[in-house]
Amino acid sequence: MKLYRFLTAEDDSAFCHKVSEALSKGWSLYGDPTYAFDAQHGVMRCGQAVTKEISGDYSPDMKLGQQ
């Protein structure tokens, strides 16, 4: 089955590390990254979808970050 996650964070190196960590754990990029201005905090925010194939069935109790 295929898992899906959408990673988000402020547009800084921590976001790049978050995506790099997911890739190192077998997740794959899905689509293009997105950017939006967070007017409340005055910063740009990034988002990147990632997917991963795993065996077994989906459960809403899964901790996707630990997969």
Side-chain angles (χ1 to χ4, degrees):
M1 71 163 280
K2 186 176 279 193
L3 297 177
Y4 172 89
R5 292 174 64 195
F6 188 69
L7 306 173
T8 61
E10 191 173 319
D11 184 13
D12 59 15
S13 64
F15 175 74
C16 295
H17 286 288
K18 182 186 264 191
V19 174
S20 295
E21 179 182 22
L23 295 174
S24 75
K25 292 181 176 180
W27 292 83
S28 298
L29 298 176
Y30 182 83
D32 294 327
T34 60
Y35 300 94
F37 183 69
D38 179 346
Q40 183 176 2
H41 296 100
V43 298
M44 291 297 291
R45 301 243 179 235
C46 299
Q48 175 64 59
V50 292
T51 61
K52 183 177 184 179
E53 286 286 341
I54 65 163
S55 60
D57 295 323
Y58 172 76
S59 167
D61 298 327
M62 289 178 150
K63 303 284 188 219
L64 298 178
Q66 296 175 356
Q67 294 294 322

